[in-house]
Amino acid sequence: MEITLKKIDSVNSEVSTKIDAKQIKASVDKLALQAAKTMKIDGFRKGKVPPAVVKQRAGEQLQQDAQQEIFREVLKQALSELGKAETELIGEPIVEKFDKKDNGDIDMSMVISFKPLIDLKGYESLIPEFATPRVLKKEIDEKKSELLKTVAPLEAIKEKRALAKGDFAKFDFEGFIDGKAFDGGKASDFVLEIGSGQFIPGFEDAMIGLKAGEEKDIDVTFPQSYGAKNLAGKPAVFKIKLHEIQAKKIPTKLDEEILKTLMPNEEKPTEEAFEERIKNQIRDEKMYALINNELKPKLAESLVEKYAFDVPKNIVEQEMNMQFQNAWQEFKPEEMEKYRKDKDALSKKREEFRKDAQNSVRLTFIIDELAKLRNIKVDDQEVYQMIYFEAYRRGSDPKALIDMYRQQGMLPALKMSLVEEKLFAEMFNKDEKKAKKAEKSDEKAK
């Protein structure tokens, strides 16, 4: 079989060939003969089914299998002539032409892609310099107050005043739709923080201004997205009676009991240790924000700009598809209609994502190589733990979520995201040569 090779760039090559109809027929005959030895057909003994009967029963499938077999032969020959191993291939070949002639011949061309070889020598010079985030005393006090609020007891306020945002209301309520009470719409001595958004929109705002002992009818409408379908989108009236206005009593002094509640794993918790923990937490949060919002984008841009190597066309096309599909969700209805009707405009719009897709793919290969250089590894168990955490937040079944990601082929992408997160955290948190530690500033913050 004759093939024509055209090297597009260092990682992409075009393979063209003409497949003779006789070659396809010979492959179909061979496959039919093989199938005849195992196929079970009524009226024939096993292994004695005539190949002609096999062709009659499974002719279309045999044609497809024969074409696939020849396709693999073309690919094998192309790899041999390029001096490449099959393991160097990345992704599936892009079949750009598959023209079946009236005589059964097929003109075919495809693009095969290989993983690029990357030399990241000197990448360390691109790591941005940064100062370790400072933590101010005011920030520690504010965080401390927030945490104390979570363990502070509720107490009824003594002053006679109206309910305000931030207060806790102790009240009875019962909901009605079309004058009839509905299941789950009634409670007594319920405690609600006003402004927390725990109840449906409009409910908490309508309570503001009430005084203890007062009653009120509140008109609201359940959101269309409400979980209970029998209530979604329906107007309702809630009859409420406010019994008491409560507020959190924030302790002014941290005694041993409160400290043990706040630091359950500490054998002898102290206020100093508690503040140190808060300080470290705030610094970690600031560092995380600094990495993700400033350092990581800056480094990524520098890496892509410096290491402008060729990238596999098939992977770029996949990334373009994904970026275009994401953008499609944001299109206005009239834009969607335009692109559905005008295929040229659709193709031109999709092409706008090529540069970003190339840079995104290039960065993925760079991150993969950096992870190897810095010995960053993520095992499958870490991926599953991340999915379990996501399922916990969603309130869904972890196993079902894992199965969904597996079926969608998303597990490798999730693993890569963890590798990326670990890599950048390690580069910015442990590269002491680049981190300008602000110890003096921290001392002032204590």
Side-chain angles (χ1 to χ4, degrees):
M1 184 187 306
E2 290 187 7
I3 65 170
T4 301
L5 286 173
K6 179 184 176 183
K7 197 170 183 181
I8 300 172
D9 53 39
S10 62
V11 295
N12 298 290
S13 293
E14 184 181 64
V15 186
S16 303
T17 188
K18 181 177 181 179
I19 304 172
D20 193 283
K22 293 178 182 178
Q23 186 179 0
I24 298 173
K25 182 180 181 303
S27 182
V28 168
D29 291 341
K30 184 186 74 173
L31 292 170
L33 189 61
Q34 292 173 350
K37 296 176 182 178
T38 57
M39 186 176 284
K40 293 181 180 180
I41 296 180
D42 292 343
F44 297 95
R45 285 183 296 162
K46 186 178 179 180
K48 299 296 182 180
V49 180
V53 175
V54 175
K55 291 180 187 178
Q56 187 179 13
R57 293 288 184 94
E60 187 175 341
Q61 184 61 50
L62 287 171
Q63 282 284 336
Q64 293 177 8
D65 291 347
Q67 290 173 12
Q68 282 296 318
E69 185 176 67
I70 294 169
F71 178 88
R72 288 192 292 271
E73 289 176 9
V74 171
L75 183 59
K76 184 178 179 181
Q77 187 174 334
L79 290 172
S80 177
E81 292 189 23
L82 287 168
K84 298 281 189 178
E86 190 171 346
T87 53
E88 294 179 78
L89 279 172
I90 187 166
E92 293 294 324
I94 300 174
V95 177
E96 297 196 323
K97 182 180 179 182
F98 193 85
D99 186 10
K100 193 168 185 178
K101 307 294 184 181
D102 292 339
N103 64 357
D105 292 350
I106 296 175
D107 285 340
M108 186 189 77
S109 68
M110 62 180 174
V111 174
I112 56 177
S113 302
F114 304 93
K115 185 176 180 180
L117 297 176
I118 312 169
D119 181 5
L120 296 181
K121 185 178 179 181
Y123 77 89
E124 295 92 344
S125 65
L126 301 178
I127 300 175
E129 294 188 349
F130 62 94
T132 302
R134 295 191 302 127
V135 181
L136 304 177
K137 181 69 167 62
K138 184 178 79 168
E139 293 172 317
I140 295 174
D141 291 341
E142 288 174 353
K143 189 69 174 179
K144 185 177 177 181
S145 180
E146 287 178 23
L147 292 171
L148 287 174
K149 187 177 178 182
T150 64
V151 298
L154 283 170
E155 287 189 356
I157 63 169
K158 295 178 181 179
E159 60 179 307
K160 301 293 182 181
R161 65 169 176 82
L163 185 67
K165 190 174 182 179
D167 289 335
F168 289 80
K170 184 178 181 181
F171 65 107
D172 299 339
F173 67 85
E174 185 171 15
F176 298 84
I177 292 179
D178 296 329
K180 295 180 180 179
F182 56 86
D183 290 341
K186 183 179 181 180
S188 298
D189 292 335
F190 191 89
V191 177
L192 170 68
E193 182 179 5
I194 304 302
S196 65
Q198 184 178 345
F199 274 32
I200 59 178
F203 192 103
E204 295 171 29
D205 288 341
M207 291 185 68
I208 293 174
L210 280 176
K211 295 180 180 179
E214 290 185 340
E215 299 181 16
K216 185 177 182 180
D217 288 356
I218 295 177
D219 295 315
V220 291
T221 300
F222 282 95
Q224 291 289 348
S225 58
Y226 196 70
K229 292 183 179 179
N230 62 314
L231 302 177
K234 292 186 178 180
V237 176
F238 281 88
K239 294 182 178 296
I240 71 166
K241 181 175 181 179
L242 181 62
H243 294 304
E244 198 172 73
I245 299 174
Q246 300 177 342
K248 289 271 189 177
K249 185 182 179 182
I250 309 296
T252 56
K253 186 178 180 181
L254 297 185
D255 57 28
E256 187 177 354
E257 185 179 348
I258 293 175
L259 284 168
K260 283 184 176 179
T261 303
L262 292 166
M263 306 175 71
N265 297 324
E266 291 288 336
E267 187 174 338
K268 293 182 178 180
T270 63
E271 187 167 358
E272 291 75 16
F274 179 53
E275 290 185 351
E276 185 65 25
R277 178 179 291 185
I278 292 173
K279 181 180 176 180
N280 292 334
Q281 181 185 348
I282 294 173
R283 184 185 288 117
D284 289 345
E285 289 170 356
K286 285 187 172 185
M287 192 67 207
Y288 180 84
L290 177 65
I291 289 173
N292 286 278
N293 299 333
E294 184 180 332
L295 300 177
K296 178 178 168 183
K298 187 175 180 179
L299 176 58
E301 184 179 352
S302 298
L303 288 167
V304 169
E305 185 178 344
K306 180 170 182 174
Y307 303 105
F309 50 86
D310 297 323
V311 286
K313 183 178 179 180
N314 51 4
I315 308 301
V316 170
E317 293 295 326
Q318 290 174 14
E319 179 66 20
M320 284 176 68
N321 287 339
M322 186 182 73
Q323 290 189 15
F324 182 71
Q325 286 168 9
N326 290 338
W328 181 270
Q329 309 301 322
E330 304 299 322
F331 288 169
K332 297 177 181 178
E334 55 268 27
E335 289 180 300
M336 293 181 180
E337 188 62 24
K338 171 192 171 184
Y339 292 130
R340 287 192 184 102
K341 290 180 178 178
D342 190 340
K343 300 301 180 185
D344 289 338
L346 179 69
S347 178
K348 187 177 179 181
K349 186 65 179 177
R350 179 182 176 276
E351 194 63 27
E352 292 178 8
F353 293 88
R354 183 170 296 280
K355 185 176 180 180
D356 284 345
Q358 288 174 333
N359 286 340
S360 177
V361 171
R362 191 170 287 118
L363 181 61
T364 298
F365 283 112
I366 290 172
I367 288 171
D368 185 56
E369 185 64 21
L370 283 175
K372 292 175 183 175
L373 291 173
R374 298 181 78 101
N375 199 31
I376 303 296
K377 296 177 181 178
V378 171
D379 58 35
D380 291 342
Q381 190 59 38
E382 289 178 87
V383 178
Y384 294 142
Q385 284 175 354
M386 182 178 73
I387 297 174
Y388 267 81
F389 180 72
E390 182 182 352
Y392 173 77
R393 285 192 297 106
R394 287 188 186 184
S396 55
D397 177 17
K399 187 178 183 302
L401 195 58
I402 289 172
D403 290 341
M404 184 190 78
Y405 282 136
R406 184 178 286 115
Q407 290 167 7
Q408 294 178 349
M410 289 290 292
L411 290 179
L414 290 175
K415 190 170 188 176
M416 191 64 196
S417 70
L418 278 178
V419 169
E420 180 178 329
E421 186 178 323
K422 270 191 173 184
L423 172 66
F424 285 112
E426 189 268 349
M427 289 177 79
F428 293 120
N429 286 330
K430 295 184 179 179
D431 199 327
E432 297 298 330
K433 292 180 181 179
K434 290 292 178 183
K436 297 176 180 176
K437 295 191 173 182
E439 292 297 338
K440 292 182 180 179
S441 298
D442 276 343
E443 285 298 322
K444 293 179 181 179
K446 287 182 179 178

